[in-house]
Amino acid sequence: MKVLNTPLPGVIIIEPRLFGDKRGFFLESYSATRYREAGLDVEFVQDNHSRSSHHVLRGLHFQLRHPQGKLVRVSRGSVFDVVADVRTGSPTFGQWFGVELNDDNARQLYIPPGYAHGFQVLSDVADFEYKCTDYYHPEDEGGVAWNDPGLGIEWPCPEQAIVSDKDQRWGPLQALTDEQLPPYLL
């Protein structure tokens, strides 16, 4: 597998080895030993799978007292995946990074705890799978508006975004206090 750094500290793209022929393909989506050797030495405690239709935009989400690291991938379809640094005190606070994840490139993205995360579906349907380093606590969830002009995320189809009522209620990053954001931990 190949590991690529991004402009955000700790956020990495993983390109697993894909073995394919006329029958299809095989890839190893996770191996604790191999990932640890590549520098991703974390313990995952929960796996999630969501299915979304074209233009659905989920996010930007984070957990405050129980921040989750996430290893995300798309097993069917295509998404534009976004990570935003919302960790108070971070040198890259307010910066974001986006990458296309799809079932052709088989890329994975690791998002360390404390970052906000979201994605927009580019295909008719997308199956989005992710491993988490902590359990989901609904009472602990926070968020930032997906269309926050201060972040300036360049979504591929913002005018066609289908966003949940909950995600529509998130405000801009600059309106959140330090107590409402995850801390930057060295």
Side-chain angles (χ1 to χ4, degrees), residues 3-20:
V3 177
L4 307 170
N5 291 317
T6 71
L8 296 178
V11 177
I12 57 172
I13 297 169
I14 299 167
E15 294 180 342
R17 290 183 61 196
L18 193 64
F19 302 93

Side-chain angles (χ1 to χ4, degrees), residues 51-112:
R51 177 171 291 157
S52 303
S53 58
H54 199 211
H55 299 304
V56 165
L57 194 150
R58 297 182 183 266
L60 300 165
H61 306 138
F62 62 86
Q63 287 202 163
L64 186 58
R65 289 171 298 284
H66 301 278
Q68 295 176 306
K70 297 177 183 175
L71 179 63
V72 304
R73 72 188 198 97
V74 173
S75 58
R76 178 170 97 173
S78 179
V79 306
F80 181 68
D81 199 86
V82 171
V83 181
D85 191 348
V86 298
R87 301 166 304 155
T88 184
S90 168
T92 55
F93 181 82
Q95 294 179 28
W96 66 274
F97 171 77
V99 63
E100 185 174 343
L101 304 176
N102 60 53
D103 56 12
D104 285 328
N105 67 26
R107 284 179 154 185
Q108 299 172 316
L109 186 67
Y110 178 69
I111 305 149

